[in-house]
Amino acid sequence: MDENKILGEMPVSKLLFKFSIPCVTGLLIGALYNIVDQIFIGNSSLGYLGNAATGISFPILCIANAFAWCVGDGAASYLSICSGRQDNESAHKCVGTGLSATFIISIILTIICVIFCRPLMAMFGASDLTLDLASDYFLIIALFFPFYLMFNVMNSMIRADGSPTYAMIAMISGAVINIILDPICIFLLDWGIKGAAIATVVGQVVSFVICVLYFFKPKSFRLSKNSFKIDKSMMFNLITLGGSTFIIQISMVVMTLLGNITLAKYGALSVYGSDIPISVFSIQTKVYTIICNIVVGIALGGQPILGFNYGAGKMDRVKETYRLIVISSMTVGIIATLIYELFPELVISIFGKQNELYMDFAVKSFRIFLGLSFVTCFIKISSIFFQSIGKAVHAMLASVIRDMACFVTFTLILCNVFEHAKPGNGYYGILIASPLSDLIAGTVVIILTVKFFKGMCNFAPQKEDISIQSTHPGTIITIARQHGSCGKQIGELVAKKLGIPFYSKEITALVAYKNGMANEFISEEAEDSSAILNQMYLSTTVVQQGIIAQEKVLKKIADEGSCVIIGRAADYVLRNYKNAVRIFIYAPEKVRIKNIQQMYGDSPEEAKINMMRSDDARANYYRNISGSDWNDMRNYDLCLDSSLGKETTADIITDFVKRIEQHSALNFTGN
């Protein structure tokens, strides 16, 4: 059965189970790397001091992961796009650029971390008791950053290449090696915390080697030496597509780093000292990562189902998918929260039985800090849901409001409040900041979700009766234009003078009609005014689905003969058509502002804002598709200042096209 038919027709429950299991499995295996060391270290003679030492380096590992997953997720998304476009040339450049960039980043990070190892550990919360332990552990981990980061990036690429099972085997192999070697290196060989680090990096190297072997015979691309030359435009695409992943990881860094520093400061003023709180914080963060990875895996499994059906206007299937994701994720979250509240000692004891003071703080921390963790689960799945359907602003808010806005603010305020109220109790601030952040952020996300679903009843795929018009062989005129330059009107005049079809918004309707999609996901401008959010919007699965569908329609239009096409990066999409002429229409800012005022009734200030916003959106759209600058005159055959007048500009284009058709031996049959 065709994949699109499966996404649109197979029972949602079966689809979600099918897609979620590999995602959940992969994420859980990844979580093992973060937690296995601490289990064995906590049960060794190192105890909670060893766990505190490994926890101190966690924010730096998150920073490294942010770069790797940004490039990896970006490359995975771009590979999927290349597959949809059947663009094998871009596929190998995507992989090569991603691997080369990751290698360079990993070397830079390794050098920085090795040189500044001890200062970094001290800055991130190491005490006199844990500084040597933290440095010994992190130095070994940092030396193997190239293997670790390259493995993560390659694993994402392998999944995108249609081999999720192979990717999972690579992860499982490394995790199993790590689990086997940890007791050998820590207990049998008595290497202590260095043994834990060695076990971890050996597992990473094994996973790396397995991934490397895959690239000798991938499915959808072939690598050569030229593939590994970093392509700047390709790199921009990868960063854009993986940007949301980077932001999410960095928010985790901020949260963890703030936790370490705050607990080191206020813990030292309490009866617990600084090392016990940091050790507990490290453990509970990684324990919760397991639950978080389960719910995120479920939501990621639903991503392609949501994206396809929302784009196709099948809102009943969107609601059903979301309902199942929420039910299954919240079930996991609520069970986990109950365990944290009722049996915290059971969870804590997995990491070794410590002294009474340690257990007292750990129980208190688990019950307060993780008291509303099921709400955190809801926030994370909501972020993925909004990202799946192209709502960049909603996704951004859901991603960062809890960790970056609420948690940071509440921690800084409440720690001071509690310390001033009763000296030695400042640490309560960070414990209470977590559930309070859940309440605020959860409320915001619920409001966004309810508002979205209420408005969804007005959403429907367009079914206009628009068809492609056949015409005589001749020039395909593509026109890109600045907002307010009257490019659309000029294009209509050119089409009328030459007696050929004109396509602008008609293209959107055609794509919607042919593919059951909505205009919202095929237009060249997102609703967001921010350039960053606009790029995030363009990177979402549902929008890329619309862009690929649109490109197919553009080529079909061009195959039917001479015509005028406005916008939609048609000049790039039809770059292999020898009979395509690329026009760019611009005008001085004052002229464009005046035109916008006349067309839309804006004030001068509003006209200028709308002009800049629209031009930015068009530039982002063009760059997302082509990797080039939209306003780079070198991309076009003819650039005209429309302040000459619409009629005059149209006459110049018409004469230009006629001269080309008369004197050039163009191939009018297409590509």
Side-chain angles (χ1 to χ4, degrees), residues 429-479:
I430 190 171
L431 300 186
I432 293 174
S434 177
L436 191 57
S437 298
D438 284 326
L439 279 176
I440 302 298
T443 301
V444 172
V445 172
I446 288 172
I447 292 171
L448 289 174
T449 306
V450 170
K451 185 178 178 181
F452 166 75
F453 278 107
K454 279 186 177 179
M456 214 167 71
C457 59
N458 298 320
F459 180 95
Q462 305 297 312
K463 295 296 182 183
E464 290 94 336
D465 186 16
I466 305 242
S467 59
I468 297 173
Q469 302 176 49
S470 295
T471 183
H472 60 80
T475 306
I476 310 298
I477 304 167
T478 67
I479 298 179

Side-chain angles (χ1 to χ4, degrees), residues 271-303:
V271 296
Y272 302 108
S274 61
D275 294 320
I276 286 177
I278 289 177
S279 176
V280 171
F281 189 71
S282 172
I283 289 171
Q284 72 181 14
T285 298
K286 294 178 181 179
V287 165
Y288 179 67
T289 297
I290 294 178
I291 304 305
C292 181
N293 282 359
I294 293 174
V295 300
V296 167
I298 293 169
L300 287 175
Q303 206 167 37

Side-chain angles (χ1 to χ4, degrees), residues 276-402:
I276 286 177
I278 289 177
S279 176
V280 171
F281 189 71
S282 172
I283 289 171
Q284 72 181 14
T285 298
K286 294 178 181 179
V287 165
Y288 179 67
T289 297
I290 294 178
I291 304 305
C292 181
N293 282 359
I294 293 174
V295 300
V296 167
I298 293 169
L300 287 175
Q303 206 167 37
I305 310 169
L306 290 165
F308 176 84
N309 287 286
Y310 188 68
K314 296 183 177 182
M315 296 307 146
D316 288 342
R317 290 179 65 81
V318 172
K319 291 177 181 177
E320 177 67 8
T321 304
Y322 180 73
R323 186 182 70 83
L324 290 175
I325 290 173
V326 170
I327 290 173
S328 52
S329 298
M330 294 309 296
T331 300
V332 172
I334 290 170
I335 291 172
T337 303
L338 289 173
I339 292 173
Y340 301 149
E341 293 298 315
L342 301 176
F343 312 107
E345 297 93 342
L346 185 64
V347 180
I348 297 161
S349 63
I350 296 173
F351 298 86
K353 295 186 182 296
Q354 310 297 338
N355 60 50
E356 187 177 335
L357 204 58
Y358 176 94
M359 293 301 293
D360 179 64
F361 183 86
V363 169
K364 189 184 300 182
S365 181
F366 266 70
R367 283 178 171 161
I368 299 174
F369 193 89
L370 299 178
L372 291 178
S373 52
F374 66 93
V375 179
T376 314
C377 294
F378 174 72
I379 294 169
K380 290 188 179 297
I381 64 171
S382 296
S383 174
I384 295 170
F385 167 70
F386 287 127
Q387 179 74 2
S388 302
I389 59 174
K391 297 294 181 183
V393 176
H394 295 60
M396 173 73 82
L397 282 172
S399 294
V400 303
I401 190 171
R402 183 197 181 276

Side-chain angles (χ1 to χ4, degrees), residues 160 378 505 545 609:
F378 174 72
K505 288 185 178 179
Q545 178 184 329
I609 291 171

